[in-house]
């Protein structure tokens, strides 16, 4: 059986479940705690056939995936996929260029920001270029609020603080859809239900099983392929007029609630896929 | 059992705990599991969660 390393920083239920699944199917599972293990570029720390990147920190995930890839080892997901999925402008750009429907979005840079090229609105949704769990996502109900939000964001002086991602506000039916793709197939989907317009489960949304329709499957797989494939969480919005739109793609997705409500053992699917990929 | 470095009360480290794992103690302190010479211990988590997520 192949030797598979689990790259992690702060283990959650998901990482423990994947580790156990790897052991259950007989893989030589190794833990690689990236915050206490120096990773030398081009010099493997240990003989492994494949690595599963599961760091919760975006910067840890990107950097350590690239470092391990320098050993000639396949990483699931690769550093490029993690980076492209983590940068919302890069994600939307790739999706749009692959003709995957996305919410209308404008990228504004610096002080020359509002010049009539905004997406339909108000309201508008303002998002950080890099961010997760629905943090720093806000809704502006008019131009004045939008200006204020952008000013506050710029005052923070962080990386990308002067790049603004402004999207049309989609009137969702009180939910969005999270679809898990693994290679060229969909393994599970859930509705994330909330009375709040932000429907991340980390913000209190309730997970419910969702049917994987042909349309959901097709769109999620097209989005996954555009980003580079692997194990991804594709977030879909249901627009009342245009149908399904791809909102975001997550490259280190959480799936504890999905296992609970769907019964699909996503961790077993991931472990099995990792072994298949390691043998290729 | 380990002791919370802030309040001094006992904290149970789960049997399947791994280095880096975070445990929120009853006193409100976020603790991180660390390994020292093969022994799991606890320290106050001082990391930055700014770019955490999925």
């Amino acid at each position: 059986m192949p030797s598979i390393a689990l790259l992690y920083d702060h283990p959650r239920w998901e990482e423990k479940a994947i580790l156990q699944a790897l052991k259950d199917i007989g893989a030589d599972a190794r833990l690689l705690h990236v915050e206490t293990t120096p990773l030398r570029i081009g010099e493997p720390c240990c003989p492994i056939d494949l690595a599963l990147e599961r760091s919760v920190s975006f910067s840890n995930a990107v950097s350590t995936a690239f470092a391990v890839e320098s050993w000639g080892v396949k990483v699931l997901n690769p550093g490029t996929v993690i980076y492209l999925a983590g940068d919302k402008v890069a994600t939307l750009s790739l999706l749009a260029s692959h003709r995957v429907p996305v919410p209308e979005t404008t990228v504004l840079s610096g002080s020359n920001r509002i010049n009539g090229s905004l997406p339909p609105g108000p309201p508008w949704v303002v998002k950080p270029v890099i961010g997760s769990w629905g943090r720093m996502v806000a809704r502006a109900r008019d131009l004045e609020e939008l200006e204020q939000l952008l000013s506050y964001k710029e005052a923070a002086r962080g990386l990308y603080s002067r790049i603004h991602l402004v999207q049309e506000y989609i009137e969702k039916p009180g939910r969005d859809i999270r679809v898990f793709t693994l290679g060229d197939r969909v393994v599970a989907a859930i509705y994330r239900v909330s009375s709040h317009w932000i429907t991340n489960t980390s913000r209190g949304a309730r997970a419910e099983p969702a049917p994987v329709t042909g349309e959901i499957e097709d769109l999620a797989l097209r989005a996954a392929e555009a980003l580079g494939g692997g194990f991804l969480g594709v977030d879909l919005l249901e627009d009342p007029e245009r149908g399904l739109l791809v909102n975001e793609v997550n490259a280190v997705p959480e799936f504890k609630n999905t296992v609970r409500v769907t019964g699909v053992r996503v961790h077993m699917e991931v472990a099995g896929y990792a072994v298949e990929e390691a043998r290729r | 059992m380990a002791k919370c470095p802030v309040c001094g009360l006992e904290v149970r480290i789960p049997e399947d705990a791994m280095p880096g794992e975070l445990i929120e103690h009853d006193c409100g302190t976020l603790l991180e599991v660390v390994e020292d010479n093969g022994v799991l211990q606890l320290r106050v988590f001082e990391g930055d969660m700014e770019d955490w997520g999925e």
Side-chain angles (χ1 to χ4, degrees), chain A residues 8-11 16 56-59 132-133 135 178 250 252 254, chain B residues 14 16-22 32 45 49-54:
Chain A
Y8 76 100
D9 49 14
H10 301 286
K16 292 186 176 185
V56 66
S57 153
F58 173 68
S59 48
S132 300
W133 290 338
R135 285 177 307 213
R178 160 62 63 87
N250 303 276
V252 188
E254 296 167 329
Chain B
D16 64 349
M18 294 158 60
E21 189 164 337
L22 300 180
E32 180 178 15
F45 175 67
M49 294 182 172
E50 185 63 30
D51 73 340
W52 286 23
E54 57 171 346

Side-chain angles (χ1 to χ4, degrees), chain B residues 24-54:
Chain B
E24 187 168 2
H25 189 224
D26 295 342
C27 69
T29 304
L30 192 58
L31 302 170
E32 180 178 15
V33 176
V34 292
E35 189 172 7
D36 186 12
N37 289 324
V39 178
L40 295 182
Q41 299 180 344
L42 295 172
R43 70 178 177 194
V44 177
F45 175 67
E46 294 178 338
D48 182 2
M49 294 182 172
E50 185 63 30
D51 73 340
W52 286 23
E54 57 171 346

